[in-house]
Amino acid sequence: MANVDVLVRVPVSEQDPLVRAKNFDEVCLGYSKEEAMDEATRCLNCKNAQCVKGCPVSINIPAFIEQVKDGNIEKAYSIISESSALPAVCGRVCPQESQCEGKCIRGIKGEPVSIGKLERFTADWARENGIKPQGAEEKNGHKVAVVGSGPAGLTCAGDLAKLGYDVTIFEALHEAGGVLVYGIPEFRLPKTKVVAAEVENVKSLGVKIETNVIIGKTITIDKLMEEEGFEAVFIGSGAGLPRFMGIPGEQANGVFSANEFLTRNNLMKAYQEGYDTPISRGKKVVVVGGGNVAMDAARTALRLGAEVHVVYRRGEAELPARAEEVHHAKEEGVIFDLLQNPTEILVDENGWVSGIKVIKMELGEPDESGRRSPVEIPGSEYEIEADTVIMSLGTSPNPLISSTTKGIETNRRGCIVAEENGATTKTAVYAGGDAVTGAATVILAMGAGKAAAAGIHEYFMNK
């Protein structure tokens, strides 16, 4: 074991920025076993572990890291999988810096322990060595339907299966994984190596997955319960309805929502030679927005050969994307046009995007939440040449499910109203994740799926 500086993280290998900007291979290469064991020695093994309080699925972080430190990786995986159905995913895409690592005591005087990278290493080791999570010894006779196979649905289904429930997931698309397969790019989250393997782990618990089933169209929730024998339902259908700005030119050819652009590229494999998937391979691409999805769209367009600008109406300090994603985007060559806001998409005589008109902004006085609102600077408009514009302004839930289910209440944003345990206004129907909160993170969706599984189990116990 190396002589480790306990104040400094063991560095993790990454692809060179100039190389990775031209491929879709994973950026971060992860720890070796020796590096993971070295990093694990930095953990203080706190008795009142703040990192656990920062984890939405309450993984026993000190316990699994202690096992990694001793080289007992199978035991470490067993501890993680008691709480998380998707550790290889979370180790890659969780905002650890604002959750577990953000509360790490080691981080007060030095760098926090690389909890995410250790979780990723543990899950990858388990996959490579054929280790599976442990399921229930016998079924309890209760049948539960889960709508959506994204992080909320997979987590809820996995937890219920471990408790002995007969669980079936209904997925609208042809491949399971939800946002994990259609939204997050291959270079951040490999689809076959990681996502498909995690889905298989959930199925190994006894969960059945039916794809190409659109709940609300193929069959309704009411019919699942009244005619198909499902005694409870969890809705984890996400928030896939994109928002636009309502500015002139948004209907032009070459304007995409980030959702559509990423879905075509990820799930329909537009990035691979030989796949006949229509996608704009623009040479000058403007991405409007500053969140993680905007970074994913920008870095994807870059890899397809474009010069890419990110236009965001606030400054760098206000960018909602993870600092790591912004850093990687800059390293790869994405150009950031901050404190600027689009006012019009310019269209040529053939109906295609020819550019985008933006106006410069400055930050005004803070609002009630303390956030400073951007204010236009009069007379500062100018044009950016572009042949593709990708709008990444957030999403809201599709109203199909709520509008076809009796007794489910939604709020003014179209989100399903649910209690902390996922209970909706319809008896035995629970909901969680983006369908309830609007677009958020993978781990928060998982936390909601976990809470709903506990809520459903309590419902049956009380029943």
Side-chain angles (χ1 to χ4, degrees), residues 49-164:
Q50 297 302 303
C51 55
V52 178
K53 296 176 183 176
C55 174
V57 295
S58 302
I59 292 170
N60 189 342
I61 293 168
F64 103 74
I65 291 180
E66 183 75 9
Q67 296 301 323
V68 173
K69 183 182 78 172
D70 294 339
N72 300 326
I73 314 304
E74 184 172 352
K75 178 61 177 174
Y77 177 72
S78 173
I79 293 168
I80 294 174
S81 60
E82 287 172 8
S83 303
S84 175
L86 307 169
V89 169
C90 291
R92 287 167 164 84
V93 303
C94 260
Q96 291 101 2
E97 65 279 1
S98 62
Q99 293 178 163
C100 54
E101 293 176 13
K103 295 190 181 303
C104 176
I105 300 300
R106 176 62 78 192
I108 294 174
K109 291 186 177 179
E111 293 181 317
V113 175
S114 292
I115 299 168
K117 298 295 189 291
L118 291 175
E119 181 182 19
R120 168 193 162 142
F121 162 76
T122 302
D124 286 355
W125 184 95
R127 181 186 67 249
E128 290 160 7
N129 287 274
I131 309 300
K132 297 279 187 183
Q134 295 298 307
E137 291 184 7
E138 57 184 49
K139 298 287 187 184
N140 61 23
H142 294 296
K143 194 175 173 186
V144 180
V146 171
V147 181
S149 65
L154 289 170
T155 298
C156 184
D159 277 16
L160 289 171
K162 288 176 185 176
L163 292 167

Side-chain angles (χ1 to χ4, degrees), residues 204-225:
S204 75
L205 298 171
V207 174
K208 298 180 283 292
I209 301 179
E210 293 190 23
T211 56
N212 300 307
V213 179
I214 302 173
I215 300 298
K217 192 170 183 181
T218 311
I219 190 169
T220 64
I221 285 176
D222 293 333
K223 285 191 175 180
L224 283 176
M225 300 180 80

Side-chain angles (χ1 to χ4, degrees), residues 232-280:
V233 177
F234 172 73
I235 302 170
S237 51
L241 194 63
R243 295 181 193 145
F244 289 87
M245 293 186 70
I247 59 176
E250 273 187 324
Q251 303 303 318
N253 295 318
V255 178
F256 289 86
S257 70
N259 255 30
E260 180 184 2
F261 182 77
L262 290 169
T263 299
R264 287 177 181 273
N265 198 71
N266 295 333
L267 191 58
M268 303 167 77
K269 299 181 171 57
Y271 65 90
Q272 285 188 14
E273 294 295 333
Y275 273 80
D276 187 18
T277 309
I279 192 170
S280 175

Side-chain angles (χ1 to χ4, degrees), residues 304-456:
L304 293 173
E307 173 187 294
V308 182
H309 291 249
V310 168
V311 173
Y312 181 61
R313 64 189 186 139
R314 290 184 166 90
E316 183 162 352
E318 292 77 33
L319 279 167
R322 293 182 70 189
E324 181 180 56
E325 301 308 319
V326 174
H327 171 68
H328 281 157
K330 285 183 173 180
E331 277 190 329
E332 291 163 8
V334 173
I335 300 160
F336 284 76
D337 297 321
L338 303 175
L339 287 168
Q340 297 170 53
N341 201 38
T343 57
E344 181 182 354
I345 295 173
L346 306 173
V347 186
D348 67 18
E349 64 276 9
N350 297 315
W352 285 85
V353 171
S354 63
I356 186 166
K357 190 180 287 186
V358 300
I359 189 166
K360 294 181 180 179
M361 313 289 284
E362 59 185 358
L363 294 180
E365 294 300 313
D367 59 18
E368 292 178 1
S369 69
R371 199 174 193 207
R372 297 170 66 193
S373 296
V375 179
E376 293 182 356
I377 300 174
S380 64
E381 279 188 312
Y382 71 101
E383 296 176 5
I384 300 174
E385 186 182 351
D387 52 23
T388 302
V389 174
I390 300 171
M391 292 292 186
S392 183
L393 305 168
T395 54
S396 57
N398 190 311
L400 181 62
I401 290 175
S402 57
S403 65
T404 57
T405 309
K406 297 173 193 168
I408 284 197
E409 185 182 331
T410 57
N411 63 22
R412 59 182 179 80
R413 295 184 298 134
C415 297
I416 295 171
V417 175
E419 298 174 19
E420 282 189 15
N421 69 349
T424 70
T425 50
K426 185 179 178 71
T427 301
V429 175
Y430 291 70
D434 293 3
V436 171
T437 61
T441 62
V442 166
I443 189 64
L444 288 176
M446 289 178 62
K450 194 170 191 64
I456 291 169

